[in-house]
């Protein structure tokens, strides 16, 4: 082996083409800016178009004449009470789905993994469908009975999967994947059963909920969700380097010094809890959790230290925009946002597959 | 010289069949050891047991006098670097990123790669002649470049013990010599203990201080290449006759396969 000359070090010839602090900061700053600008821009749209200048003034808490008149007050209410919570919810939900998608693709070593693959989402859906079937109406701390039932459903599913899959403290990922498929199938059958014995009104509401929707959660609920999501995504970002190693296979990762089983536990439980919470408040919004990780990986590379937070931010922006389209396109009729994400995400994914037919991407 | 490894009465099995049976082996510090034997003799399992990637069903492995099972993966990785037989890399990681992952055991938590990490990774890549492909992804590499990247990753680990599972299997003769030259340099000049599994009896005989011939999960022969690589031992263990003479320069055993293939035709008509 040769030793580097002093000149090499001086001229920076020692730099390697790997992630640097400055690249990380630039990309994340750019995405944060896009998220902020995109979020504000989305507030203009809906059944009524509110000019961007008014949106800005409302957000900044202005009280001049244009905002204190009857029209102004109603616009304030629309922006602050209707659109803003919804935009925030879209961001939180999709940021979670994208981050969880990235983490699960690495954990399961399966590029087709998405947040719904483990069956936790089905559990949440079953809880929600049960709540709708029983017509429970009460609410606690900003969350409706439907949200809580859905979260309980997710929790019960997590416990079930954990008890089925984990043996002697190990998380065998193939078993995890298979268990997820089976649990999804069983719960889908249960949901189908419940919808088919329900009256047509509740059945329609169930169907609509399952398609994914971002009906307003309210600030109390949003706050709680934001804390949970921030902790969850934070934990996953903290595992970024470990996820890099997991992508080499468990044995290699262990050989390089990773306590593989501990990391797998942490990632499974974090992703499952975040997925459960997010599905409980938004239903099954498809494609964000699978397509966003792929798209970002193509643009930014595979290093999870950058990929994970970037996918979360970009996923958030994507759903804010998709939801804005969903509620403005045929206003006052609202489309389920899942329709938009599937119609954008599906063809994009097919494009990826065609472009990378040599499987380079995966 | 101290002992690097002590494997005492190890038995190991994946399912029902024992792969290793009451297996004992000691490896001295600074040794260049070759593990040879036919397919299924347990060489790879042995290497994985030494790396702590598998746990023996019976018996124990001691690394520098400490029980391997009591060490964390990170502690082991600081002492032992593994070059596996096959490597798969999911996602488009670049060669530079892969080699830097060798630094994992020395890094704390999430943090960024330090200048020292980058420098060590760069040296490793230079030694393995893969700097020109640093920005390529693993899938875009040739078999030889892949193997050299994995060895570079192990070098970046800066461990005192290198365990290599057929490191030259996918390499052309030039790069085969490069690998052994590098291993010899590490071994002689830096005191790195090298344990290499090889199917290439000639290269192993030429470069290893000691060969261990595995047979049915046990040590059949252990000693300098001249003692181990003999027609009798090869016949017993591999079940075939070979011609053995001396390497014209090194004087080490040179194995040549006989010309006659009669009686070996496996195609059933």
């Amino acid at each position: 082996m040769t030793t580097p000359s002093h000149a090499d070090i001086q001229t920076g010839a020692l730099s390697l083409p790997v992630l640097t602090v400055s690249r990380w900061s630039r990309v994340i700053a750019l995405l944060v800016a896009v998220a902020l600008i995109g979020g504000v821009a989305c507030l203009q749209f809906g059944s009524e178009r509110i000019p961007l200048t008014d949106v800005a003034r409302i957000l900044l808490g202005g009280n001049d004449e244009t905002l204190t008149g009857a029209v102004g007050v109603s616009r304030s209410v629309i922006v602050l009470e209707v659109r803003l919570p919804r935009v925030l919810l879209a961001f939180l939900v999709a940021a979670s789905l994208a981050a969880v998608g990235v983490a699960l693709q690495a954990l399961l070593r399966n590029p087709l993994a998405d947040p719904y693959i483990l069956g936790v989402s089905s559990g949440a859906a079953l809880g929600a469908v049960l709540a709708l079937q029983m017509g429970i109406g009460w609410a606690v701390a900003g969350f409706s009975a439907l949200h809580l039932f859905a979260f309980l459903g997710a929790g019960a599913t997590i416990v079930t999967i954990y008890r089925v899959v984990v043996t002697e403290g190990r998380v065998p990922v193939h078993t995890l994947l298979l268990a997820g498929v089976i649990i999804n199938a069983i719960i889908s059958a249960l949901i189908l059963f419940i919808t088919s014995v329900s009256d047509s009104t509740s059945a329609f509401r169930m169907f609509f909920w399952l398609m994914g929707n971002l009906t307003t959660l309210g600030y109390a609920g949003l706050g709680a969700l934001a804390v949970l999501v921030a902790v969850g995504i934070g934990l996953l970002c903290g595992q970024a380097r470990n996820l890099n190693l997991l992508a080499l296979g468990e044995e290699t990762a262990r050989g390089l010094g990773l306590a593989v089983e501990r990391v797998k536990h942490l990632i499974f439980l974090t992703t499952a809890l975040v997925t459960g919470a997010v599905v409980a408040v938004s239903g099954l919004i498809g494609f964000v959790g699978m397509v966003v990780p792929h798209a970002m990986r193509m643009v930014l590379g595979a290093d999870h230290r950058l990929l994970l937070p970037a996918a979360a931010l970009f996923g958030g922006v994507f759903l804010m925009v998709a939801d804005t389209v969903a509620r403005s396109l045929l206003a006052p009729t609202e489309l389920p946002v899942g329709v938009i994400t599937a119609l954008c995400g599906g063809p994009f994914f097919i494009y990826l597959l065609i472009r990378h037919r040599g499987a380079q991407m995966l | 010289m101290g002992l690097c490894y002590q494997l005492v009465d190890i038995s190991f099995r994946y399912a029902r069949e024992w792969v290793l049976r009451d297996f004992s082996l000691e490896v001295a510090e600074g040794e260049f050891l070759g593990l040879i034997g036919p397919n299924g003799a347990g060489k790879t399992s042995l290497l994985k047991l030494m790396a702590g990637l598998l746990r023996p069903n019976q018996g124990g492995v001691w690394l520098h006098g400490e029980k391997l099972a009591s060490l964390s993966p990170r502690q082991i990785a600081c002492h032992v670097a593994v070059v596996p037989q096959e490597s798969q890399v999911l996602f488009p990681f670049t060669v530079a990123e892969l080699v830097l992952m060798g630094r994992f055991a020395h890094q704390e938590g999430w943090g960024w790669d330090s200048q020292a990490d980058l420098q060590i990774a760069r040296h490793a890549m230079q030694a393995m002649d893969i700097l020109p492909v640093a920005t390529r992804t693993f899938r875009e590499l040739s078999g030889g470049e892949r193997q050299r990247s994995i060895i570079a990753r192990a070098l970046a680990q800066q461990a005192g013990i290198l365990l290599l599972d057929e490191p030259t299997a996918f390499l052309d003769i030039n790069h085969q010599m490069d690998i052994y030259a590098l291993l010899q340099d590490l071994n002689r000049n830096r005191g790195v203990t090298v344990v290499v599994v090889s199917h290439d009896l000639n290269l192993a005989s030429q470069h290893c201080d000691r060969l261990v011939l595995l047979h049915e999960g046990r040590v059949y022969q252990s000693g300098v290449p001249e003692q181990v690589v003999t027609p009798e031992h090869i016949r017993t263990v591999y079940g075939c006759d070979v011609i053995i003479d001396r390497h014209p320069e090194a004087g080490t055993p040179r194995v040549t396969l006989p010309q006659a293939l009669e009686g070996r035709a496996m195609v059933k008509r």
Side-chain angles (χ1 to χ4, degrees):
Chain A
M1 283 200 279
T2 51
T3 1
S5 68
H6 190 62
D8 275 347
I9 301 168
Q10 287 293 306
T11 56
L14 282 175
S15 64
L16 282 177
V18 291
L19 182 64
T20 58
V21 184
S22 77
R23 174 155 191 258
W24 190 91
S25 314
R26 269 183 282 128
V27 172
I28 297 299
L30 176 72
L31 284 168
V32 168
V34 168
L36 287 173
I37 294 166
V40 172
C42 284
L43 293 174
Q44 297 175 78
F45 302 102
S47 50
E48 182 200 2
R49 172 83 190 265
I50 299 176
L52 196 55
T53 47
D54 287 2
V55 170
R57 264 184 289 182
I58 291 166
L59 287 178
L60 297 172
N63 55 355
D64 56 57
E65 250 172 57
T66 45
L67 296 174
T68 46
V71 177
V73 169
S74 80
R75 282 184 166 181
S76 289
V77 171
I78 290 173
V79 169
L80 294 177
E81 302 299 321
V82 180
R83 292 187 188 170
L84 183 60
R86 183 154 178 166
V87 163
L88 290 174
L89 181 61
F91 183 83
L92 288 176
V93 164
S96 309
L97 291 176
V100 165
V102 169
L104 283 180
Q105 287 175 3
L107 174 73
L108 300 171
R109 289 175 58 70
N110 189 329
L112 294 177
D114 76 353
Y116 306 144
I117 204 164
L118 295 182
V120 176
S121 51
S122 299
L126 182 61
V129 165
L130 278 174
L132 287 169
Q133 159 74 13
M134 295 186 280
I136 307 169
W138 45 264
V140 185
F143 292 101
S144 67
L146 186 147
H147 297 144
L148 297 177
F149 265 64
F151 193 63
L152 284 178
T157 317
I158 295 169
V159 173
T160 309
I161 297 170
Y162 193 86
R163 299 199 64 156
V164 168
V165 172
V166 177
T167 45
E168 295 167 11
R170 299 169 69 89
V171 186
V173 293
H174 286 297
T175 319
L176 191 61
L177 203 55
L178 283 174
V181 170
I182 302 298
I183 285 170
N184 269 326
I186 294 171
I187 296 181
S188 297
L190 288 174
I191 291 174
L192 203 58
F193 174 75
I194 294 170
T195 48
S196 54
V197 298
S198 301
D199 60 81
S200 59
T201 320
S202 350
F204 181 75
R205 288 177 62 200
M206 291 170 191
F207 175 72
F208 210 76
W209 188 89
L210 289 172
M211 282 296 290
N213 67 88
L214 294 162
T215 42
T216 311
L217 185 58
Y219 283 110
L222 268 177
L225 183 71
V227 170
L228 199 148
V229 161
V231 170
I233 296 179
L235 278 173
L236 292 179
C237 285
Q239 296 299 307
R241 200 194 282 277
N242 300 344
L243 288 168
N244 284 350
L245 263 72
L246 274 186
L248 307 181
E250 290 181 19
E251 204 169 75
T252 304
R254 197 184 149 87
L256 291 171
L258 184 67
V260 171
E261 293 303 331
R262 196 170 53 79
V263 169
K264 288 195 310 190
H265 267 86
L266 183 69
I267 293 169
F268 166 65
L269 290 174
T270 310
T271 53
L273 273 172
V274 171
T275 306
V278 160
V279 172
V281 298
S282 69
L284 300 170
I285 298 174
F287 281 93
V288 177
M290 182 160 72
V291 172
V292 172
H294 278 292
M296 295 313 281
R297 203 178 280 120
M298 283 178 62
V299 177
L300 298 174
D303 192 331
H304 290 88
R305 288 176 297 178
L306 180 60
L307 177 61
L308 221 147
L313 287 166
F314 183 76
V317 174
F318 174 67
L319 195 62
M320 286 194 304
V321 174
D323 184 52
T324 302
V325 172
R327 63 192 161 78
S328 339
L329 199 63
L330 300 177
T333 307
E334 266 187 28
L335 294 170
V337 65
V339 171
I340 305 293
T341 57
L343 285 181
C344 296
F348 176 70
F349 200 70
I350 289 175
Y351 160 76
L352 288 185
L353 288 179
I354 292 170
R355 200 180 137 188
H356 293 271
R357 233 175 282 189
Q360 285 288 331
M361 164 187 67
L362 311 179
Chain B
M1 263 205 194
L3 280 180
C4 206
Y5 269 112
Q6 284 168 287
L7 287 76
V8 183
D9 291 332
I10 282 185
S11 294
F12 174 77
R13 60 182 172 189
Y14 289 100
R16 201 178 281 175
E17 297 270 305
W18 290 101
V19 180
L20 295 171
R21 210 63 227 264
D22 302 324
F23 185 97
S24 293
L25 180 71
E26 292 187 341
V27 182
E29 225 158 293
E31 200 174 359
F32 198 133
L33 178 70
L35 301 175
I36 57 174
N39 296 332
K43 306 183 295 293
T44 296
S45 305
L46 176 58
L47 214 64
K48 287 182 181 175
L49 284 160
M50 292 169 79
L53 302 177
L54 296 174
R55 292 272 169 89
N57 299 87
Q58 289 158 31
V61 180
W62 278 264
L63 172 67
H64 295 307
E66 287 192 69
K67 187 136 199 205
L68 200 62
S70 69
L71 300 175
S72 72
R74 188 179 286 264
Q75 287 171 318
I76 296 173
C78 283
H79 294 286
V80 184
V82 190
V83 175
Q85 203 166 9
E86 274 181 286
S87 295
Q88 292 168 338
V89 178
L90 193 70
F91 307 133
F93 282 105
T94 65
V95 172
E97 286 168 341
L98 283 174
V99 174
L100 255 173
M101 288 187 208
R103 298 302 301 155
F104 179 82
H106 301 279
Q107 291 168 327
E108 286 298 319
W110 198 80
W112 299 97
D113 307 302
S114 69
Q115 280 304 311
D117 291 329
L118 292 173
Q119 195 167 328
I120 290 163
R122 199 172 198 281
H123 283 179
M125 293 172 73
Q126 220 160 29
M128 284 290 99
D129 193 19
I130 48 166
L131 269 181
V133 295
T135 53
R136 296 228 206 123
T137 65
F138 195 68
R139 282 166 194 266
E140 294 168 328
L141 303 180
S142 70
E145 287 165 338
R146 287 183 183 197
Q147 186 67 346
R148 284 181 282 139
S149 307
I150 300 301
I151 296 176
R153 189 180 70 202
L155 293 182
Q157 224 170 316
Q158 291 197 316
I161 302 165
L162 261 182
L163 306 178
L164 306 101
D165 198 350
E166 303 213 38
T168 55
F170 300 106
L171 300 181
D172 61 46
I173 45 175
N174 186 33
H175 281 123
Q176 287 187 6
M177 297 220 300
D178 277 351
I179 299 290
Y180 273 97
L182 175 90
L183 293 179
Q184 203 161 59
D185 175 59
L186 289 170
N187 179 251
R188 289 190 186 158
N189 302 326
R190 303 188 182 212
V192 173
T193 307
V194 178
V195 180
V196 56
V197 165
S198 182
H199 274 303
D200 192 322
L201 300 177
N202 293 334
L203 272 175
S205 298
Q206 256 176 280
H207 299 291
C208 296
D209 302 332
R210 176 162 70 110
L211 292 181
V212 170
L213 177 58
L214 273 72
H215 183 43
E216 293 172 351
R218 289 194 170 86
V219 175
Y220 183 76
Q221 282 292 321
S222 167
V224 293
E226 289 75 13
Q227 288 172 348
V228 176
V229 181
T230 65
E232 297 74 34
H233 294 153
I234 298 296
R235 189 184 307 114
T236 315
V237 172
Y238 289 83
C240 68
D241 290 311
V242 292
I243 301 154
I244 294 182
D245 58 0
R246 301 277 143 210
H247 186 280
E249 288 174 351
T252 50
R254 180 171 66 174
V255 180
T256 313
L257 302 182
Q259 175 65 15
L261 295 175
E262 283 91 38
R264 296 189 70 91
M266 301 299 281
V267 184
K268 294 200 172 69
R269 285 168 194 264

